[in-house]
């Protein structure tokens, strides 16, 4: 029988759990046992957490964390938190496959910058969260660990590339999770699993890169069951690092502060389907539009508006930059025949497109990115936030590689069905996915709150007010219990 105290522990949000551990209301060992029990019971149905570490060893770490508290020593904000890290980042001593058979047996020898910060904050690493191969695609399946199922229907996809992370958080198999986002990977999975996910501005969370000077399209972020939980995580992950010269220097402690704020008079533009330029499956836009009423309830003014811009041109510019960056990262494997044979077709396609690009086309795409940012900057002189859907489809059969049609239109790439996430990606503006509700089949979707440049705190504040008014996560937990 399920233990009521254990269930109470895993039901706590990250902020409340941190306070309970520091106040010694619960022990780190109790927390670890509660989460491990839930993982062993639920994870076999969804395959969200992979490379799970030995129970006995994890409990010893948790007992060690309790000993630190007993001695009265200072502890970090995530002290005693069981965390699985997305399998795109190395955690010393844990598997580091990146979802690729090339690295099926690799064990990480070092921690990334992000993991170093999590470790210093007191996290206990229990395993990794599942991803698509090399993080390519918004559906988490790979030949090393298999596919991740949805928290609301394990036969459907959990999304990607932070799919394992979102499913693990939604099912309370960990209190909060890290993630990363290039084309919706911190927005699509939370939308598919009725939770929250933040894509921050570039430079907010420093990360290793071959080129640390050029603003990339991919960023690190977090997934939680409330915006406050994400704020706690961001307070740990954000902050300057000299290895990343353009990292944002703002004190990250502000993200862990109370998020309450008066939103009367706040102006929101609903972009919807971008003036009919982006297709959606039936019902998705309807759920998103219905969620707008919650913003009105908290005092916001919402109107449908869209800046004048060709979304196909923006998409084509993004395709160039995507192929350019993927080719740079994966070319060493592509050039080695035995490794190329192990790459999924979508990865090979990206590399070959990237290698065929000329400098003029890459520069033109970078200039297009700047034009789009400037268009939004001017447009947002009349609005405090933009809101748009987080996905164009509801969670689909996890046996599919990707949806081939959306709204009756054929998808010409493996990621075209996530085109709605590209406007935020190409702008560099922060975007917070919030739950929007459920479709006719009982599957969730979400909407993105897009804030001003470096406006992550503003996104979290509006998200917190929206969460308090809508209560989607607490009212509609996943059926797997």
């Amino acid at each position: 029988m399920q233990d009521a105290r254990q269930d109470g522990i895993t039901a706590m949000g990250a902020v409340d759990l941190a306070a309970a551990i520091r106040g010694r209301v619960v022990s780190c060992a109790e927390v670890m046992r509660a989460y491990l029990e839930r993982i062993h019971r639920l994870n076999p149905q969804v395959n969200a957490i992979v490379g799970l570490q030995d129970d006995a060893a994890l409990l010893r770490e948790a007992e060690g964390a309790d000993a630190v508290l007993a001695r009265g020593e200072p502890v970090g904000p995530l002290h005693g938190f069981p965390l699985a890290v997305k399998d795109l980042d190395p955690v010393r001593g844990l598997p580091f496959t990146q979802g690729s058979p090339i690295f099926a047996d690799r064990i990480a020898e070092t921690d990334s910058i992000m993991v170093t910060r999590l470790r210093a904050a007191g996290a206990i690493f229990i395993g990794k969260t599942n991803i698509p191969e090399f993080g390519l695609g918004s559906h988490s399946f790979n030949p090393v660990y298999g596919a991740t199922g949805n928290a609301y229907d394990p036969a459907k996809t959990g999304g990607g590339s932070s799919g394992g992370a979102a499913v693990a958080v939604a099912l309370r198999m960990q209190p909060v999770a890290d993630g990363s986002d290039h084309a919706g990977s911190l927005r699509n999975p939370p939308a598919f699993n009725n939770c929250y996910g933040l894509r921050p501005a570039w430079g907010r969370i420093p990360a290793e890169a071959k080129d640390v000077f050029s603003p990339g399209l991919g960023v690190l972020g977090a997934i939680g069951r409330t915006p406050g939980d994400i704020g706690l995580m961001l307070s740990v992950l954000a902050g300057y690092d000299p290895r990343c010269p353009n990292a944002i220097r703002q004190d990250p402690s502000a993200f862990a502060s109370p998020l309450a704020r008066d939103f009367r008079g706040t102006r929101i533009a609903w972009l919807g389907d971008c003036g009919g330029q982006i297709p959606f499956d039936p019902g998705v836009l309807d759920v998103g539009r219905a969620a707008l009423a919650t913003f009105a309830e908290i005092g916001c003014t919402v109107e449908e508006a869209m800046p004048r811009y060709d979304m196909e041109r923006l998409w084509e510019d993004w395709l160039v930059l995507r192929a350019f960056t993927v080719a740079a990262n994966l070319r060493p494997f592509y050039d080695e025949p035995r490794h190329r044979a192990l790459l999924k077709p979508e990865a090979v396609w990206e590399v070959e497109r990237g290698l065929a690009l000329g400098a003029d086309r890459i520069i033109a795409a970078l200039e297009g990115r700047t034009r789009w940012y400037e268009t939004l900057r001017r447009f947002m002189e009349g609005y405090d936030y933009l809101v748009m859907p987080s996905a164009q489809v509801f969670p689909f059969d996890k046996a599919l590689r990707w949806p081939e049609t959306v709204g009756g239109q054929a998808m010409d790439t493996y990621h075209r069905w996530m085109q709605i996430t590209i406007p935020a990606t190409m702008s560099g503006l922060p975007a917070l996915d919030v739950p929007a509700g459920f479709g006719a089949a009982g599957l969730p979707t979400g909407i993105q709150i897009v804030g001003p440049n470096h406006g992550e705190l503003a996104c979290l504040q509006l998200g917190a007010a929206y969460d308090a008014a809508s209560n989607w996560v607490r009212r509609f937990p996943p059926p797997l219990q």
Side-chain angles (χ1 to χ4, degrees), residues 67-134:
V68 170
L69 285 166
R71 292 193 296 269
E73 297 177 13
V75 298
L78 306 179
H79 188 77
F81 271 41
L83 290 185
V85 171
K86 187 175 178 179
D87 200 20
L88 291 181
D89 261 77
V91 179
R92 186 180 68 248
L94 268 63
F96 180 34
T97 76
Q98 296 180 278
S100 169
I102 297 170
F103 299 122
D105 300 318
R106 180 171 63 174
I107 301 297
E109 297 180 356
T110 59
D111 290 339
S112 68
I113 294 173
M114 180 194 72
V115 171
T116 299
R117 291 182 172 187
L118 290 172
R119 196 183 293 276
I124 299 174
F125 300 113
I126 61 175
K128 307 299 285 288
T129 55
N130 203 28
I131 59 169
E133 183 179 325
F134 290 113

Side-chain angles (χ1 to χ4, degrees), residues 211-429:
D211 170 18
V212 296
F213 289 99
S214 302
L217 293 168
V219 298
L220 299 172
I223 294 171
R225 291 192 296 277
T226 69
D229 291 350
I230 291 176
L232 175 65
M233 191 74 153
L234 195 57
S235 74
V236 170
L237 299 181
Y240 182 74
D241 186 287
R243 290 167 287 185
C244 303
N246 292 323
I248 298 170
R249 291 180 177 268
Q250 178 186 352
D251 181 359
S253 63
F255 297 115
S257 61
L259 298 175
R261 177 180 146 191
D262 186 354
F263 281 96
R264 285 175 294 182
T266 297
R267 301 161 301 172
I268 294 175
W270 164 248
L271 272 59
D273 60 1
C274 297
Q277 297 185 72
I278 297 178
F280 284 79
D281 269 355
V284 178
L285 275 176
D286 295 334
V287 173
R289 284 197 187 95
L292 300 177
T294 301
F295 295 113
E297 287 175 21
I298 61 177
C300 301
T301 300
V302 184
E303 62 181 76
E304 189 158 350
M306 173 67 194
R308 291 176 60 87
Y309 206 89
D310 183 351
M311 288 293 104
E312 189 63 23
R313 182 178 183 182
L314 184 67
W315 173 257
E316 292 294 334
D317 285 339
W318 175 77
L319 279 179
V320 168
L321 299 179
R322 167 80 165 192
F324 171 59
T325 55
V326 172
N329 289 330
L330 297 187
R331 182 169 186 175
F333 310 119
Y334 179 86
D335 285 345
E336 172 58 57
R338 65 189 177 89
H339 287 159
R340 185 190 302 184
L342 297 175
L343 293 174
K344 69 179 184 178
E346 295 85 352
V348 172
W349 177 81
E350 291 274 22
V351 173
E352 291 178 346
R353 279 179 53 87
L355 294 179
L357 291 169
D360 288 349
R361 185 65 188 93
I362 295 168
I363 291 170
L366 290 168
E367 291 173 348
R369 183 183 183 186
T370 299
R371 280 194 302 274
W372 172 238
Y373 170 78
E374 182 60 16
T375 297
L376 278 191
R377 187 192 68 78
R378 292 195 306 267
F379 182 72
M380 291 185 73
E381 290 175 355
Y383 299 98
D384 301 295
Y385 298 89
L386 311 178
V387 175
M388 64 185 79
S390 295
Q392 292 160 241
V393 300
F394 288 108
F396 52 87
D397 191 326
K398 73 177 181 184
L400 295 176
R401 295 182 73 86
W402 42 275
E404 295 184 358
T405 61
V406 174
Q409 294 188 29
M411 299 290 99
D412 55 358
T413 74
Y414 75 99
H415 35 33
R416 172 74 86 155
W417 61 278
M418 285 300 298
Q419 185 178 357
I420 194 64
T421 68
I422 301 308
T425 293
M426 287 289 274
S427 72
L429 302 179

Side-chain angles (χ1 to χ4, degrees), residues 144-213:
V144 181
Y145 292 119
T148 294
N150 192 281
Y152 286 79
D153 181 351
K156 306 295 184 181
T157 178
S161 63
S162 307
V167 174
V169 168
L171 288 174
R172 307 201 323 260
M173 295 192 292
Q174 60 187 70
V176 68
D178 72 279
S180 56
D181 184 304
H182 178 129
S185 295
L186 281 163
R187 292 165 282 165
N188 152 265
F192 278 6
N193 292 281
N194 193 42
C195 53
Y196 291 82
L198 176 69
R199 175 196 163 92
W202 184 82
R204 179 62 69 186
I205 300 174
E208 295 86 349
K210 294 176 182 178
D211 170 18
V212 296
F213 289 99

